[in-house]
Amino acid sequence: MACQGLSKGETVSSLRAESENLKAKLEEERSKLHDVELHQVAEKVEALGQFVMKTRRTLKGHGNKVLCMDWCRDKRRIVSSSQDGKVIVWDAYTTNKEHAVTMPCTWVMACAYAPSGCAIACGGLDNKCSVYPLSLDKNENLSAKKKSVAMHTNYLSSCSFTNSDMQLLTSSGDGTCALWDVESGQLLQSFHGHSADVLSLNLAPSETGNTFVSGGCDKKANVWDMRSGQNIQSFETHESDINCVRYYPSGDAFATGSDDATCRLYDLRADREVAIYSKESIIFGASSVDFSLSGRLLFAGYNDYTINVWDVLKGTRVAILFGHENRVSTVRVSPDGTAFCSGSWDNTLRRWAGYSFRFVYCCIWTL
Amino acid sequence: MIITQIHQLDMAKGRRQVSQMSEFPLFSGSFNRWPKMSTNNNIAQARKLVEQLRIEAGIERIKVSKAAADLMSYCEQHARSDALLVGVPTSENPFKDKKPCILL
């Protein structure tokens, strides 16, 4: 097969040279606008006081490592999935199990609640993402109504419904992300650009439009346009796999947690990394991150069994939470921001709540 | 037939152990790093990379000081409604423990 349409004078080496030039130009453009650090600008912000955060409920019932969890929009229910193939829907108030599904595969690495609260999606080593409608009848066998939606050529690492129950976004070990129509199972858009497994994805908060961010084993975090499939922005400053990506509540930035033991904040409009959350004493990878409602706090779960709470603006750690007896695999703040839930390889989930004392004091004083 | 995947990454990671321990048939030939490709693909890849970089280089950017100020003002505006920051009045907290409350 003849070489496909090389333009005049274009060779592989000239293209490579041009890409090097463009990379240098990109760095230059980004540096020009790097006039100050985030924590410097945040010096005038009131420091957070002492944190008091405790486990309020422990959810026991999984027979093996909890790998993923998601909150329902009703702020009360959660779905969690584990290594043994079980997917459980819990009531976080009462700790009762409302539904349980046994998947035909082990290592169910991804699970998500539908916006309506009427269905869940999950998948893992079966390379698929399946949707299970939840029925009010507890005795009904959910597996009977199972619908296979997504098909990848490697494990499913993460899934998320878009703003409706009708579309599902997935990421996979095959290096791609994909958008699917739930009803027909049709592939609507695929996203190519990662050069290794994609481990996590997160949809932008709805006000900011149709974009999402993904992170993977190629150490890159990519921002995508959902309609065109185009990779809009790419960030590569981590030194190891990016395990989790999560948008800042305003949609203007996102945080990542990585195996290099750091979490980083990237601002989309400044097009660069603006903060690193790390300490010399933290040497284990961060598996999962999530923001509090205002974006001031970043909760990060680590492989050393702890959860660190970071002050997003100042870049300092404000609390370490102990409790889990094995790696923390997933951390998610509830939709109303009143609590957050963590899942771990110790087979349990914990719901945490609490606040900063000093901040309460300051608020009362100014009223 | 179970085909074990070859991984070049750290074996201690749970995720990498996954494929080796799997009982489910894996027919994928994909690897964590793409295998070497033919010259034609090299050209196509290089061209794609150049196009991608052109797009990225051409986007509009703002100064970090402005971006930081916006992040800070968002935090400030929403701080009062962030229960993990300021707490929730015990009367409204559905998860409260049944204990007498201590006034600060």
Side-chain angles (χ1 to χ4, degrees), chain B:
Chain B
M1 187 169 111
I2 298 169
I3 300 166
T4 326
Q5 289 188 318
I6 302 160
H7 298 284
Q8 297 161 12
L9 299 172
D10 181 10
M11 293 305 182
K13 262 185 258 191
R15 228 173 265 106
R16 301 298 158 261
Q17 288 168 343
V18 154
S19 310
Q20 289 167 351
M21 294 190 304
S22 161
E23 295 140 2
F24 200 84
L26 293 169
F27 299 112
S28 165
S30 73
F31 299 87
N32 286 333
R33 300 274 180 264
W34 296 157
K36 272 197 182 151
M37 295 194 212
S38 67
T39 320
N40 281 348
N41 279 341
N42 270 348
I43 295 162
Q45 254 201 322
R47 198 181 282 148
K48 237 189 190 173
L49 183 59
V50 167
E51 278 166 24
Q52 178 61 34
L53 286 169
R54 276 199 194 128
I55 293 172
E56 286 179 35
I59 65 169
E60 298 249 333
R61 291 177 193 84
I62 63 172
K63 283 194 180 165
V64 175
S65 49
K66 168 87 173 70
D70 287 349
L71 290 175
M72 270 169 51
S73 75
Y74 187 91
C75 276
E76 241 171 299
Q77 275 168 27
H78 293 84
R80 264 162 228 269
S81 48
D82 187 347
L84 291 168
L85 204 55
V86 302
V88 160
T90 26
S91 53
E92 288 171 22
N93 184 1
F95 297 107
K96 67 174 182 278
D97 298 325
K98 290 174 176 57
K99 278 181 200 164
C101 63
I102 302 161
L103 290 172
L104 292 165

Side-chain angles (χ1 to χ4, degrees), chain A residues 55-227:
Chain A
T55 301
R56 302 293 175 184
R57 299 279 190 280
T58 304
L59 303 167
K60 294 185 185 170
H62 275 294
N64 214 317
K65 309 179 173 70
V66 175
L67 302 175
C68 186
M69 65 138 305
D70 190 19
W71 285 89
C72 179
R73 283 193 189 178
D74 70 359
K75 308 158 231 173
R76 181 175 174 147
R77 287 176 182 76
I78 60 177
V79 61
S80 62
S81 64
S82 86
Q83 185 198 343
D84 61 1
K86 291 262 187 332
V87 177
I88 301 179
V89 176
W90 314 74
D91 178 328
Y93 283 12
T94 60
T95 74
N96 285 342
K97 300 176 198 42
E98 297 202 339
H99 300 276
V101 171
T102 305
M103 292 279 286
C105 68
T106 55
W107 291 86
V108 187
M109 290 174 262
C111 63
Y113 228 116
S116 66
C118 298
I120 54 169
C122 48
L125 274 199
D126 56 351
N127 300 0
K128 296 195 279 200
C129 191
S130 310
V131 174
Y132 292 82
L134 296 174
S135 83
L136 291 169
D137 178 4
K138 306 277 162 74
N139 294 324
E140 193 177 343
N141 180 13
L142 290 182
S143 304
K145 296 235 180 93
K146 166 181 165 175
K147 192 185 296 187
S148 281
V149 174
M151 292 277 287
H152 279 280
T153 54
N154 207 331
Y155 65 89
L156 190 86
S157 53
S158 182
C159 65
S160 171
F161 282 90
T162 59
N163 288 326
S164 76
D165 284 18
M166 297 286 81
Q167 289 182 353
L168 194 60
L169 197 56
T170 57
S171 68
S172 165
D174 64 14
T176 68
C177 300
L179 182 66
W180 309 84
D181 177 86
V182 173
E183 196 59 45
S184 61
Q186 199 194 350
L187 173 66
L188 298 172
Q189 185 65 259
S190 69
F191 306 89
H192 298 263
H194 280 286
S195 53
D197 305 23
V198 184
L199 297 179
S200 174
L201 62 80
N202 187 227
L203 238 71
S206 43
E207 302 84 28
T208 52
N210 293 323
T211 59
F212 73 95
V213 61
S214 66
C217 292
D218 56 357
K219 312 176 202 167
K220 287 205 278 191
N222 290 338
V223 181
W224 308 86
D225 179 320
M226 278 208 308
R227 281 166 294 198

